Every structure is written in structure tokens, then in C-alpha cells.
Amino acid sequence: RPRLLSGMQPTSGSLHLGNYLGALTQWVSLQETHDALYCVVDLHALTVSPDPAALRERSRATAAQYLAAGVDPSRSALFLQSHVPAHVELAWVLSCITGYGEAGRMTQFKDKSAKQGAEGTTVGLFTYPVLMAADILLYDAAEVPVGEDQRQHLELTRNLAQRFNARFGPTFVVPEAYIPKETAKVFDLQDPTAKMSKTSSSPKGIVDVMDESSVTAKKIRSAVTDTDGVVRFDRAEKPGVSNLLAIHSALSGTAIADLESAFAGRGYGDLKKEVAEVVTGVLGPVRERTRELLADPDSLDEILAEGARRANAIAGETLAKVYDKIGLVRPR
Ligand code: ATP
Ligand code: MG
């Protein structure tokens, strides 16, 4: 079974429908075929200067949502990045073989630092991709599911692995991008040509996993559509209606063509009502289960501790090998 690693940042108290369909449901099925490790990358989230109380709450909430969606801790290691110190230790070593110019060419850094200005840009934001490389290389992950926005960072990870291996001898597995079979990309309900995003969508444009069903139904009722009144899938001409159809189809398993026939001659009100039912039918239980998990923080923390033990065992071994190869004297 190929080893696979993935994670999300705890940058919000709730994941959204895009995270659920684009990542979580995929993670759950990948457990069948892969030796998977799923982490909450809390150290990465420090790059957005979160409030400490919010960070603590969001880290547990993110882990709880992984579990509620079906990540099974008896099969996959579920852990918080900060519980495995080797991430930071390997990141330092890798930063010493990363070119300053090479890191400066990362487009995510260029975009974010341009927005924040030189004074608002931290060194952490600059070295973020090096920490991400450490996350991956510690576990000999053969495959890493990455969205388009992380592709360049994975390329850097591959380059660092190859560079290290060339200089110090075979050490790291060079990871491949895992290309998912066609996951639903979910668009913003208010701006259906932009992707639904934790940080750039307006609250009305996002379906949050932790929203009450009535709130979700209201957001879907107010989703932007068009004026021609025909329920038909056409991303270019009808992005709003197409988004609703794609969401329905991904969650209900009904083919889009069958949905078009079922809604022939009916209005957008009917479509929205049914989409809301399908969405709340799926997310409602996930939200409830998340609440139950959060109501018992001791059990949740025990699951995270167990995941960290498994992760530390693998990561510690890799780090020891690295320290030895680069010439650090090992303690007795
Ligand atoms: P941010 O705005 O902070 O980047 P995000 O909403 O883009 O947050 P991420 O934490 O970057 O969420 O992504 C977590 C996972 O969810 C990734 O695997 C990503 O590909 C997936 N994902 C994010 N948004 C969507 C979306 N709208 N549709 C499908 N998948 C998505
Ligand atoms: Mg993103």
C-alpha cells in the first residue's frame, strides 16, 4: 500500500462543502487503498497570525471534522503537526539546502507578500513551502493529493528530495502528485465563477459544514443563478445553476443528465429546495458527529495522541537518518 500524506490548515472553525467534497470524501476512500496519514497543519496556520484561543479551538474542530467525515483513526494516523517536532527540525535542515531565490519564486509567496507588503510579510510565510516539504518527506510519502494551488510547492519538495539524495545518498522518497479521479470543484454560491474558499468567499457564498441546516438552506435559496429559468448544466453560460447541479450530483450520486430530466419544466426554486435537502442530509450528520466529538475533548485528544505516536515513530526514524547523513553527531 503506497504511503500517502495530506493535511489542511486550521484557518477556520468550520470546513466548507468544497473541502468536504474536494478533499475529505477523497481521504476517506483513499484509506481503502493507501497507508494514509492525515494531519492538521497547525504550525502552517501560524503564518496568518491567528488569535491563540481561536487557533486552539480550530485545531481540535478541524480534527473532529476529519473524523466525523469518516477518517478512521484505527487505519489512518490522525495528528496535529505540532505534536511531531521532527517537522520543524527537518524544515531547518531543508531550509539550508533551499536557495533564497528558489523560495522567492514561489507564486503563493509572491501573491501573499504583495498583498501584505514587506513589513507585514513574515519569514514564516517565506519558508512555508520548506515546512511543507518536511511534512511530506518525513513519511516517505509516495503520493500527495494536492490542489492546483499547491503544485509548485510539491515541485519544490521533489527538487529538495532529489538534491538531498544526490548530495548525501539515497534518503528520501521523491513524492508524486496524486491526481484524484475527478472530484467536484465547488464554487462560491454568490460568485459562481470563483471557487468556494475559507478565506476569500463571503459568508453567504460558503456552505460551512458546521452551519445549522436552516442557515445552509437559506444560503442555497439565495444562491446566484440566471434569468433564463431552465435547469441545464452549462458552466460557461450558467455557472450558478451548474454549480447547484454539480453539488447535487456529487452528494446524491445522481448523474447530471438525470437531474436535468428530473427538473425539466420546473423552476430554480424547486432545484434549490432539493439541493438544500441533499446538502443538509449529508452535512447534518457530519456536523452532529463533530459536535459530539468536541463535547468529549479527552477522547479526541487521546485519538490525536495515538496518531502522534504513530507519526513520531516514522518521522523520528527519518530525522535520525537525515541528521546522521549530514554529519551531526548523534547523542548516545
Ligand atoms: P484557503 O482559502 O485558506 O486557501 P481553502 O478553502 O482553499 O482555504 P484549503 O485548506 O486551501 O481550503 O484546502 C483544503 C483542501 O480542500 C484541499 O485539498 C483543496 O484542494 C480542497 N478544496 C478547497 N476548496 C475547494 C473547492 N472549492 N472545491 C473543491 N475542493 C476544494
Ligand atoms: Mg486554498
Side-chain angles (χ1 to χ4, degrees), residues 9 16 19 108 112 149-150 195-199:
Q9 292 192 65
H16 57 66
N19 301 138
Q108 183 175 296
K112 291 194 175 173
D149 54 336
Q150 296 300 322
K195 90 169 191 89
M196 191 177 284
S197 148
K198 289 203 284 288
T199 48

Side-chain angles (χ1 to χ4, degrees), residues 6-9 11 15-24 26-27 112 145-150 183-188 195-200:
S6 199
M8 293 192 226
Q9 292 192 65
T11 43
L15 299 177
H16 57 66
L17 185 61
N19 301 138
Y20 180 80
L21 280 173
L24 281 180
Q26 215 193 113
W27 290 7
K112 291 194 175 173
V146 282
E148 218 32 69
D149 54 336
Q150 296 300 322
T183 52
K185 179 164 175 190
V186 180
F187 292 82
D188 188 315
K195 90 169 191 89
M196 191 177 284
S197 148
K198 289 203 284 288
T199 48
S200 47

Side-chain angles (χ1 to χ4, degrees), residues 2 5 28 42 69 100 106 127 133 210 212 239 278 291:
L5 178 102
V28 171
D42 51 357
Y100 183 78
M106 295 295 115
T127 56
M210 298 308 290
E212 291 298 336
V278 171
R291 290 222 175 107

